[in-house]
Amino acid sequence: MKNYQNILFPYAYNILGSVEDAKDAIQDVLIKHLSINKDHIENDIGYLVKSVINQSINIKKRRSKITSNRLWLPEPLSTETADNNIDSEEIISYSILVLLEKLTASERAVFILKEAFDYPHKDIAKTIDITIENSRKLLSRGKTKLANYQTTNLSYSAPLPSYMESYIQTIKNGDMKRLEKMLSEDISLHADGGENIKVVRELTVGKSASLKLLFYVYKTYLELLSIKITQINHQPALLFYNKDILINCQVFDFENNKIKSIFSIVDPNKLKLLF
């Protein structure tokens, strides 16, 4: 069963953007699988993959019906120290997971199966019980919504760790001019505090406003914390600790060697599985 969980996890997580929801979807499918007559099942793994994908779509649809005005970011997953032998290469980059929140559950599933797992439309149609024509339409509609998505590779090319060391020193030294050179003109800062933690600002766009906010947040909330450089969903990230308690996870997105986005996750429910 553990091997099944490792195989199934990337499908569920990529669709749901949540580690806990993905594990719940897999557990539900495996429990049901234990209790059914399997005489009609020719390919056990294929049957479970299909079941998990559809269970994940249903969970995503239910969750999307819960209206909320707050910004929601995916649950971060360590791809540097991924546990349980999960195939981290099949985990989508964090920036793409954020973009995929623009899609419906079905559009997202088709997009992931086609782009991340290289399924032909014939297999996508069989997996989620739609027509081949509908699969093509869902993919086309999804790509239209993701107008800025211009690559067929969902992996991420991260800068050298020394770049992140330089960023940390720049923030610690309060060097605004140096940090300004590290940011893209249209940089965006995203913060998710969940239901219980109020963040300073959920979304900030533009270099000037981002510079001020980055220094303010560091001086006010992060200066006394220890910092660890790591990799989250294939992207460089910083983890901020108060002793052994993880307080903040910041995931960085780069474009042309400039920081394009920083995704700040401070929701404790999304940090508890990180180390």
Side-chain angles (χ1 to χ4, degrees):
M1 281 300 178
K2 181 175 286 189
N3 187 46
Y4 282 169
Q5 290 172 346
N6 298 338
I7 294 170
L8 298 172
F9 181 82
Y11 291 94
Y13 174 76
N14 287 341
I15 292 173
L16 291 164
S18 166
V19 174
E20 287 206 337
D21 284 351
K23 289 181 176 180
D24 287 344
I26 293 167
Q27 184 178 29
D28 290 345
V29 166
L30 290 178
I31 289 173
K32 184 177 179 180
H33 185 65
L34 288 172
S35 63
I36 64 172
N37 187 316
K38 302 177 185 60
D39 291 343
H40 66 291
I41 301 175
E42 296 180 2
N43 183 334
D44 222 27
I45 289 294
Y47 179 86
L48 288 171
V49 167
K50 177 177 179 177
S51 299
V52 163
I53 289 169
N54 284 283
Q55 178 74 352
S56 300
I57 291 172
N58 291 334
I59 292 173
K60 189 70 175 175
K61 285 179 178 177
R62 289 199 300 270
R63 195 173 68 186
S64 66
K65 291 179 181 178
I66 303 174
T67 57
S68 175
N69 293 323
R70 67 179 180 82
L71 184 144
W72 188 92
L73 290 175
E75 185 175 350
L77 177 69
S78 173
T79 44
E80 183 176 60
T81 58
D83 61 351
N84 297 326
N85 298 315
I86 292 170
D87 188 352
S88 62
E89 290 184 5
E90 293 184 336
I91 299 298
I92 290 177
S93 70
Y94 197 84
S95 298
I96 297 298
L97 278 181
V98 173
L99 278 177
L100 291 181
E101 288 300 312
K102 297 180 179 180
L103 308 186
T104 66
S106 296
E107 290 167 351
R108 181 173 180 141
V110 170
F111 182 92
I112 288 167
L113 290 175
K114 182 66 177 174
E115 300 293 318
F117 294 98
D118 200 27
Y119 275 41
H121 283 289
K122 179 181 177 182
D123 291 345
I124 295 174
K126 288 172 64 177
T127 299
I128 60 176
D129 297 320
I130 58 176
T131 65
I132 294 176
E133 181 183 2
N134 196 15
S135 176
R136 295 184 189 278
K137 285 182 179 179
L138 286 169
L139 180 64
S140 176
R141 194 184 308 157
K143 284 190 172 183
T144 299
K145 290 181 180 180
L146 305 179
N148 294 327
Y149 175 71
Q150 298 293 336
T151 178
T152 57
N153 187 354
L154 299 190
S155 63
Y156 186 88
S157 179
L160 294 173
S162 58
Y163 192 102
M164 297 306 298
E165 292 280 5
S166 177
Y167 172 84
I168 293 171
Q169 288 305 314
T170 301
I171 285 284
K172 286 183 174 181
N173 295 337
D175 191 339
M176 188 167 287
K177 288 186 178 181
R178 185 178 181 187
L179 183 60
E180 185 177 9
K181 293 178 181 179
M182 301 175 78
L183 307 181
S184 69
E185 291 297 330
D186 58 348
I187 182 176
S188 59
L189 308 179
H190 310 249
D192 180 359
E195 297 288 346
N196 299 317
I197 295 183
K198 184 176 178 62
V199 296
V200 177
R201 191 174 295 117
E202 290 186 341
L203 179 62
T204 304
V205 179
K207 184 182 286 190
S208 178
S210 297
L211 271 171
K212 293 176 183 177
L213 184 60
L214 285 170
F215 280 115
Y216 172 78
V217 169
Y218 178 76
K219 285 291 183 183
T220 308
Y221 301 103
L222 306 175
E223 188 172 20
L224 299 180
L225 305 183
S226 60
I227 307 174
K228 176 185 176 183
I229 299 174
T230 189
Q231 185 187 88
I232 298 293
N233 293 72
H234 307 291
Q235 296 183 212
L238 299 179
L239 301 180
F240 294 83
Y241 290 89
N242 182 1
K243 297 181 180 178
D244 294 328
I245 301 173
L246 180 59
I247 302 297
N248 183 210
C249 170
Q250 294 182 357
V251 186
F252 289 70
D253 185 20
F254 288 82
E255 185 176 69
N256 298 323
N257 292 319
K258 301 276 188 178
I259 300 172
K260 181 181 179 182
S261 301
I262 301 177
F263 305 100
S264 180
I265 305 99
V266 293
D267 181 355
N269 291 323
K270 294 180 180 178
L271 298 178
K272 59 188 179 184
L273 295 180
L274 286 179
F275 296 97

